[in-house]
């Protein structure tokens, strides 16, 4: 029995189920660089380089381990540009008795895989992706009969299941969640760790050339590329985070600072999401730092929660809600994406800084994504589908299973509260508290209305006013709506008028760059 074993660009783990029973004598691994995956949304140039370079490095490692690899390069003759086309060609190149794959991270690709059984003459086996700690069945079981699917309860189950940060059946330190300690602003004069970035080797430089030649019109700069493209370097990046950054990660994980693109953030999500790192090893490294008293409990708990709580929860939630999750539009948002999401050319400094970071690194941290671009998209009713395509293509760690719930549910509240209990709407005061952006801005965060007022201020109230029908009955919005009652009619008129003027003047984009 010989098998063709397909490995996708976000399945670069030697422990992947596809390879578990490989027979090196007769089986072959298939890896394909296909233009469809680069262009179904026009991914950031750095994301293309990361995925393709990591694929080439991974194939080289498999070959070193005497595994036969059928590797199709993007520019090879007769490349059909699609997964289906390339699997078909591979099945014609050699005889196989079966095709083995692991379930993908996207509904679109799963549907494609499911069609292969009827399209090809060999049996197709789609295996569960057991690199996650919670299987899809287990998640569905947890979710069954629950009125609301809040992450916190899922997370507690995962803590119990793994035994991480547990003393018997109690959480270490007495609390499950130390988030309240994790919202400090950055003190003056603070120094920041120098982040480990990686030099491009020959393989990466070749891929950069390919991307420059074929995908130069895609969003993003290539010059500052510094991502790890091998497991060994990804492990070095993890160790660097644990030793240099984790101790400061908790306190300052919501803070933003001009010129500090990474602060204390882990920068391991791209590696987790393409398979170079395993979520277990990442958590265990953080837990070890806690054991050794190299990092405080709040930082370690906050980090572990992101990986074993939020990340696993989001993945279970995506598959539970698909297909069709993306179709809801609770707040009836339909404004096209403004041009500055592509150019960063806006006078609103917080947006300019966040989008500029995104362009230079294909990265921004979660508060920039949620409370700057996400908050703006929410308050200005940008069309969910356009915002979602933007997040999916600009971020190096974005694959649909993780991007869609985070954008559609968390940032845009487009699902009406299936994921989040309330919309994450905030005025300029929050951004001013958590960043230094406002001091470099033409607008003033303290000014509510009129010339020079921070647009987030009036847009926040305008959002509450215009979405009253959908949001007023939400218990977590009670305080906000009570505060709205304190505003005079004149003030409300002025808020609506200035917001409408702002929205009319928003430079609209015709889609992608
Ligand atoms: C993101 C991406 C890109 C840009 N290119 C490829 C590719 O050429 N070959 C491949 O196997 N995978 C690629 N990927 C990752 C896929 O888009 C990803 O596996 C699916 O979206 C399923 O999650
Ligand atoms: Fe952003 Fe308003 Fe601050 Fe300017 S003043 S940086 S627009 S929050």
């Amino acid at each position: 029995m010989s098998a063709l074993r397909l490995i996708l660009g976000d399945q670069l783990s030697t422990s992947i189920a596809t390879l578990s029973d490989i027979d090196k004598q007769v089986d072959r691994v298939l890896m394909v660089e296909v233009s469809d995956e680069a262009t179904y949304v026009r991914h950031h140039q750095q994301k293309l380089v990361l995925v393709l370079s990591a694929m080439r490095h991974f194939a080289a490692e498999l070959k070193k381990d005497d595994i036969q690899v059928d590797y199709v390069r993007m520019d090879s003759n007769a490349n059909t540009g699609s997964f289906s086309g390339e699997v078909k060609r591979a099945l014609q190149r050699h005889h196989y008795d079966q095709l083995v794959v692991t379930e993908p991270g996207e509904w679109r690709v799963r549907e494609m895989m499911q069609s292969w059984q009827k399209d090809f003459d060999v049996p197709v086996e789609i295996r569960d992706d057991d690199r996650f700690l919670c299987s899809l069945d287990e998640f569905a079981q947890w979710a069954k009969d629950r009125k609301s699917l809040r992450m916190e309860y899922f997370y507690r189950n995962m803590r119990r299941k793994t035994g991480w940060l547990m003393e018997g059946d109690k959480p270490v330190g007495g609390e499950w969640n130390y988030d309240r300690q994790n919202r400090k602003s950055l003190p003056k004069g603070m120094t920041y760790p120098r982040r480990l970035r990686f030099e491009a080797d020959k393989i990466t430089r070749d891929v950069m050339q390919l991307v420059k030649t074929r995908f130069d019109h895609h969003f993003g700069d290539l010059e500052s590329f510094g991502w790890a493209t091998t497991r060994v370097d990804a492990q070095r990046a993890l160790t660097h985070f644990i030793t240099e950054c984790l101790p400061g990660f908790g306190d300052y994980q919501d803070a933003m600072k001009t010129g500090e693109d990474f602060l204390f953030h882990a920068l391991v999500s791209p590696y987790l999401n393409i398979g170079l790192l395993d979520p277990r090893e990442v958590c265990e490294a953080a837990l070890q730092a806690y054991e050794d008293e190299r990092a405080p409990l709040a930082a370690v708990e906050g980090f572990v929660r992101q990986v074993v709580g939020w990340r696993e929860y989001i993945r279970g939630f995506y598959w539970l809600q698909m297909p069709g999750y993306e179709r809801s539009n609770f707040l009836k948002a339909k404004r096209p994406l403004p041009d500055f999401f592509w150019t960063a050319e806006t006078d609103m400094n917080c947006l300019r800084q966040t989008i500029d970071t995104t362009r230079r690194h294909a990265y921004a941290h979660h508060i920039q994504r949620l409370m700057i671009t996400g908050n703006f998209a929410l308050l200005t009713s940008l069309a969910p589908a356009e915002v979602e395509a933007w997040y999916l293509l600009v971020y190096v760690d974005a694959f649909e299973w993780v991007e869609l719930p985070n954008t559609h549910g968390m940032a845009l509240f487009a699902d009406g509260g299936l994921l989040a209990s309330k919309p994450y709407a905030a005025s300029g005061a929050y951004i001013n508290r958590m960043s230094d952006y406002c001091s470099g801005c033409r607008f003033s965060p303290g000014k509510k209305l009129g010339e020079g007022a921070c647009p987030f201020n009036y847009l926040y109230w305008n959002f509450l006013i215009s979405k009253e029908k959908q949001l007023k009955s939400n218990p977590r919005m009670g305080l906000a709506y009570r505060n709205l009652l304190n505003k005079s009619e004149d003030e409300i008129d002025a808020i609506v008028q200035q917001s409408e003027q702002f929205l009319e003047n928003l430079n609209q984009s015709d889609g992608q760059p």
Side-chain angles (χ1 to χ4, degrees), residues 174-185:
E175 308 267 348
W176 290 101
N177 181 324
Y178 293 90
D179 221 16
R180 261 173 296 131
Q181 295 178 29
N182 289 344
R183 290 176 191 152
K184 297 197 179 80
S185 37

Side-chain angles (χ1 to χ4, degrees), residues 428-444:
Y430 172 85
I431 297 171
N432 191 31
R433 192 165 64 248
M434 296 315 300
S435 78
D436 66 353
Y437 295 149
C438 300
S439 59
C441 186
R442 151 166 122 65
F443 301 106
S444 164

